[in-house]
Amino acid sequence: KADERSTIERTVVEEPITVILSKKGWVRGRSGHGIDMGGVGFKDGDGRFMELECKTTDTLTVLASGGKTFSVDAAALPSGRGDGAPMNTLINSGSDEIVWVTLSTAPETLLLMSNTAGNGFLCKLGDLGSKTRSGKDFMTVPEGAKALAPVPYEAGQNQHVAALASDARLLVFPLAELPTRPNGGVGVALLALPDKIELASVS
């Protein structure tokens, strides 16, 4: 019975780590916070994309370019020694790029989801959580487009969204015009896009 207990409990020691994600989707968890990124190496042709300070006991929320979301235990990340491992060895993201990683500790955080095809909707961070390695089909992203990093926002009156297209056109409209979709999906058109023009960013 003692053996059974030890396999079930498998406790994780709470320690500070820094999640380092490269442009090509390689991830590692380096011990400590306040790391000098100037001394962190990457594979040839790869480079720095983003870092996230957290604890080994934390869960991360990951968004892939195809609109799938995943939950990853920080303790499961390869150690900071070496180049780490491709994120798609930890989750079933296939050939999709990883566009965003954040802590799952504030599930009530409000998010504006969008993709380069110009669609978007509102939701909460907790809506993105997944219980399986295969992830959750959260945002419907048309073929040839990709999900953009979600934009956190705070509830309030008279808030506006600025949608910027790749041809430098800018549209500003009330945030209240967007639907809230806790189950994800397609969303609505944030702005009309001509052929070969993409949504570059929202804020």
Side-chain angles (χ1 to χ4, degrees):
K1 287 187 177 178
D3 287 344
E4 286 176 20
R5 255 200 318 274
S6 64
T7 55
I8 291 168
E9 286 174 2
R10 279 189 306 187
T11 53
V12 174
V13 178
E14 183 178 301
E15 295 177 334
I17 62 167
T18 299
V19 179
I20 301 172
L21 181 68
S22 78
K23 289 178 181 175
K24 292 192 174 178
W26 284 65
V27 67
R28 56 193 131 159
R30 189 151 173 175
S31 182
H33 289 169
I35 289 171
D36 175 12
M37 290 303 297
V40 175
F42 295 91
K43 285 179 169 293
D44 286 347
D46 203 355
R48 180 179 177 183
F49 178 55
M50 67 171 290
E51 300 83 45
L52 183 67
E53 292 184 346
C54 64
K55 298 174 183 174
T56 46
T57 49
D58 287 332
T59 300
L60 309 174
T61 296
V62 179
L63 172 66
S65 57
K68 269 194 170 190
T69 57
F70 305 86
S71 297
V72 177
D73 292 332
L77 299 177
S79 75
R81 296 194 179 98
D83 297 313
M87 181 69 91
N88 63 13
T89 61
L90 302 175
I91 55 177
N92 293 342
S93 57
S95 59
D96 284 358
E97 299 170 46
I98 303 303
V99 298
W100 186 69
V101 180
T102 194
L103 285 173
S104 305
T105 46
E108 294 301 308
T109 300
L110 302 172
L111 298 176
L112 166 53
M113 305 289 295
S114 62
N115 59 48
T116 57
N119 301 326
F121 57 83
L122 308 177
C123 64
K124 292 181 180 179
L125 176 58
D127 299 333
L128 279 61
S130 167
K131 294 179 180 174
T132 70
R133 180 188 169 100
S134 296
K136 178 188 288 188
D137 288 314
F138 190 68
M139 184 175 210
T140 303
V141 177
E143 191 172 347
K146 70 175 190 176
L148 295 170
V151 178
Y153 69 94
E154 294 184 3
Q157 298 292 320
N158 301 320
Q159 289 184 300
H160 287 76
V161 176
L164 178 67
S166 58
D167 63 354
R169 282 183 308 121
L170 179 68
L171 178 67
V172 178
F173 58 91
L175 180 71
E177 291 183 3
L178 294 182
T180 298
R181 300 275 165 84
N183 297 318
V186 178
V188 296
L190 302 181
L191 77 170
L193 295 171
D195 284 348
K196 299 183 181 177
I197 301 298
E198 295 184 334
L199 179 64
S201 68
V202 293
S203 60

